[in-house]
Amino acid sequence: MDYLVIIHTAEEGGYWAEVPGLPGCFAQGETLEDVLASARGAVLSHLDALGNDGQPVPRPPVMIATIRAPEPVR
């Protein structure tokens, strides 16, 4: 399953991320690569914790896709 990760710029520097489909699932990192790696680990840990507690794994409520369009000719 794919979960949406929203990345924010942290006031103190670096980034923090939230996963809306998994309430309480957050991550942080100094670079975009760091915060994405941390978010992946946070999602996996969150899902493991849900499973260990016998709770259902929520299906992502939102799916996002991007469509690349050609640059306009000027």
Side-chain angles (χ1 to χ4, degrees), residues 3-72:
Y3 287 91
L4 173 68
V5 175
I6 299 174
I7 300 170
H8 304 270
T9 303
E11 290 181 17
E12 64 278 1
Y15 302 91
W16 68 277
E18 60 182 310
V19 184
L22 298 171
C25 187
F26 300 96
Q28 62 183 20
E30 290 299 315
T31 66
L32 289 173
E33 293 81 15
D34 290 343
V35 75
L36 286 171
S38 181
R40 183 178 191 284
V43 167
L44 295 176
S45 294
H46 198 96
L47 295 175
D48 281 344
L50 290 173
N52 289 338
D53 290 344
Q55 297 182 35
V57 174
R59 297 198 55 79
V62 176
M63 288 186 234
I64 295 177
T66 59
I67 298 171
R68 182 166 299 190
E71 293 289 324

